[in-house]
Amino acid sequence: MLTMFLQAQPQGSSSMMLIMMGVMFVGFYFLMIRPQMKKQKQEKNFQETLKVGTRVVLTSGLHGRIAQVQEDGFVIETLSGKLKFEKAAVSREFTEARFGDKSKTADKSTEKKEIEAEKK
């Protein structure tokens, strides 16, 4: 058994090793790095497109409605009052899982109420 480990490697093994390392890097890129970058891009796009009146769920599990949109965050209106949170605290996954299309519907109904209030 010891003699198997002490035998010299064939000459082509270093080039084969480099090819295998390259294949592993490409595999990691397509299986891990690229999907993570895509997810981060979707999350950022979601956070940038949020409007006043949209119902959201934060990463902490807090449910609320956006009262104000600011440069660095949102003011979220909850049952206990208004709280300010960073934009990164709003979770796309939790919001879509909880509200789905309802958050968009609520946004439209809020706009209708605002238009009716302006007419009066």
Side-chain angles (χ1 to χ4, degrees), residues 23-92:
V23 169
M24 285 177 48
F25 179 75
V26 170
F28 276 122
Y29 176 77
F30 281 106
L31 294 175
M32 298 178 76
I33 298 170
R34 188 169 177 244
Q36 184 66 25
M37 288 172 42
K38 184 177 178 182
K39 183 179 177 183
Q40 287 175 345
K41 187 176 179 181
Q42 287 176 337
E43 189 81 23
K44 184 175 180 175
N45 189 25
F46 171 76
Q47 292 166 355
E48 294 295 325
T49 58
L50 289 173
K51 299 176 184 174
V52 174
T54 305
R55 294 170 23 179
V56 294
V57 180
L58 305 180
T59 54
S60 62
L62 183 76
H63 293 236
R65 187 179 306 265
I66 297 177
Q68 287 180 341
V69 177
Q70 299 174 345
E71 276 186 34
D72 59 341
F74 298 111
V75 174
I76 307 290
E77 184 177 0
T78 64
L79 294 176
S80 62
K82 293 182 179 181
L83 304 167
K84 183 178 178 182
F85 286 94
E86 296 290 323
K87 287 185 176 184
V90 178
S91 171
R92 178 181 60 89

